[in-house]
Amino acid sequence: MRHLLIVCLLVFSYQIKAQELFVMTDPASNIPAGSITVSDMNFFQHEKNGNLNYHNMPEVMWGVSNKLMLRASGFISNTGEGWEAEGGSLYAKYRFFSVDDMHSHFRMAFYAKYSLNNADIHQDEIETMGHNTGYETGIVATQLINKVAISSSISYERALDNKPNYEFPAAQSNSAMNYTLSIGKLIHPKKYTSYKQTNINAMIEFLGQRLNGNGKSFLDVVPSIQFIVNSQARIDLAYKQELYSTMYRTAPNGFLLRLQYTFFNVTN
């Protein structure tokens, strides 16, 4: 946790500008009410044994209201003997607090996720997005000032057995606390003239976890670039790099590519 506090102090000592859209984490805001968003995340990871594995995570999101958002995700990978559908998850986020001003807003939201996974359990890290059966619940706060966005979250995550064949190892910690810090900057355009302008956002995110049972932890950094096309299509490019770790992780580093498209006013 001390590593994250040092990062926070460094970040707040500089003036930055950003937009409230992040690659690895969700802000406290939701997708527009009545909209449907489809997304496909592709993650190419470098395994410590020298192999390159691939995870594909298709998603569908629904803006139920301006406060509630739902998301369904699937998990597909080539880490076994060929391509395998390993499971999926359901996610809900509820925005319970919002203060909106002329050029800024501050928002807070609760979120919860439940995942099913049938893959083998092969590392200390708990990750219910693609690896572990289990659940996660947390809170996220996001501050937007002009083109500046800073978002942070803390959550509790619990791993269960990966049925039907893999029990969670008794020697490992089955719960963890997660913490994130995300900072972004809108770098283009400098001035808006049309909603059809392509937005380019640069950002950096810090992802940390501490296992409750044994105190093992890690901290990752994820620099990324994001393109918003015609206010509907989104392309994310990112690289995740481990800064430090005291736990066993099979593939902590890798590239991410996400393609996303939003259909507005579908359910209004």
Side-chain angles (χ1 to χ4, degrees):
M1 182 66 75
R2 66 180 183 275
H3 298 271
L4 186 62
L5 293 176
I6 292 172
V7 170
C8 289
L9 291 174
L10 289 174
V11 167
F12 284 103
S13 66
Y14 294 94
Q15 182 175 0
I16 56 176
K17 294 188 177 182
Q19 199 174 46
E20 190 189 348
L21 293 169
F22 297 110
V23 173
M24 301 299 294
T25 61
D26 274 333
S29 297
N30 296 324
I31 64 172
S35 66
I36 298 290
T37 295
V38 293
S39 174
D40 188 62
M41 186 173 71
N42 304 272
F43 201 13
F44 304 88
Q45 295 173 291
H46 305 290
E47 290 191 354
K48 292 184 176 179
N49 61 13
N51 295 331
L52 180 69
N53 68 48
Y54 169 67
H55 287 263
N56 180 258
M57 299 180 185
E59 298 180 336
V60 177
M61 290 165 272
W62 175 29
V64 181
S65 68
N66 64 343
K67 291 187 177 182
L68 177 64
M69 185 189 88
L70 302 177
R71 180 172 68 214
S73 306
F75 310 142
I76 304 167
S77 83
N78 70 338
T79 54
E81 297 179 357
W83 297 100
E84 295 183 4
E86 296 181 340
S89 72
L90 294 175
Y91 169 96
K93 182 173 59 177
Y94 183 79
R95 178 169 57 85
F96 65 89
F97 182 80
S98 181
V99 176
D100 296 310
D101 293 320
M102 182 68 68
H103 299 291
S104 68
H105 68 239
F106 177 75
R107 292 173 180 173
M108 300 182 71
F110 291 118
Y111 62 91
K113 174 179 64 182
Y114 185 82
S115 300
L116 293 173
N117 201 295
N118 58 22
D120 64 301
I121 300 170
H122 52 267
Q123 61 181 5
D124 291 331
E125 177 188 357
I126 297 175
E127 177 55 271
T128 53
M129 191 62 182
H131 291 282
N132 295 98
T133 293
Y135 59 88
E136 181 181 7
T137 182
I139 188 170
V140 57
T142 304
Q143 176 71 63
L144 179 69
I145 303 175
N146 293 323
K147 299 176 182 179
V148 180
I150 301 174
S151 189
S152 186
S153 71
I154 186 168
S155 67
Y156 173 84
E157 192 168 26
R158 176 71 179 268
L160 306 173
D161 295 341
N162 280 10
K163 295 182 178 179
N165 299 318
Y166 302 104
E167 294 185 357
F168 193 88
Q172 294 181 204
S173 174
N174 65 356
S175 68
M177 296 302 297
N178 301 314
Y179 46 92
T180 71
L181 174 67
S182 302
I183 311 116
K185 179 178 181 179
L186 174 66
I187 59 177
H188 178 81
K190 299 297 183 182
K191 185 176 182 180
Y192 282 104
T193 59
S194 169
Y195 72 90
K196 293 185 177 181
Q197 286 178 289
T198 297
N199 288 9
I200 303 176
N201 303 309
M203 61 198 72
I204 188 167
E205 299 179 81
F206 298 91
L207 316 173
Q209 181 177 95
R210 184 182 186 278
L211 297 176
N212 295 324
N214 52 34
K216 294 181 180 180
S217 62
F218 72 81
L219 181 66
D220 294 338
V221 62
V222 188
S224 58
I225 189 80
Q226 181 183 82
F227 303 88
I228 309 296
V229 182
N230 203 33
S231 297
Q232 284 186 286
R234 171 176 156 184
I235 303 169
D236 297 338
L237 296 169
Y239 183 78
K240 183 164 72 76
Q241 175 65 48
E242 181 181 85
L243 291 179
Y244 86 92
S245 178
T246 59
M247 66 175 73
Y248 179 69
R249 307 168 76 197
T250 56
N253 306 322
F255 290 94
L256 179 143
L257 167 65
R258 177 190 280 114
L259 305 175
Q260 183 170 301
Y261 194 86
T262 298
F263 300 90
F264 296 110
N265 300 315
V266 176
T267 60
N268 282 346

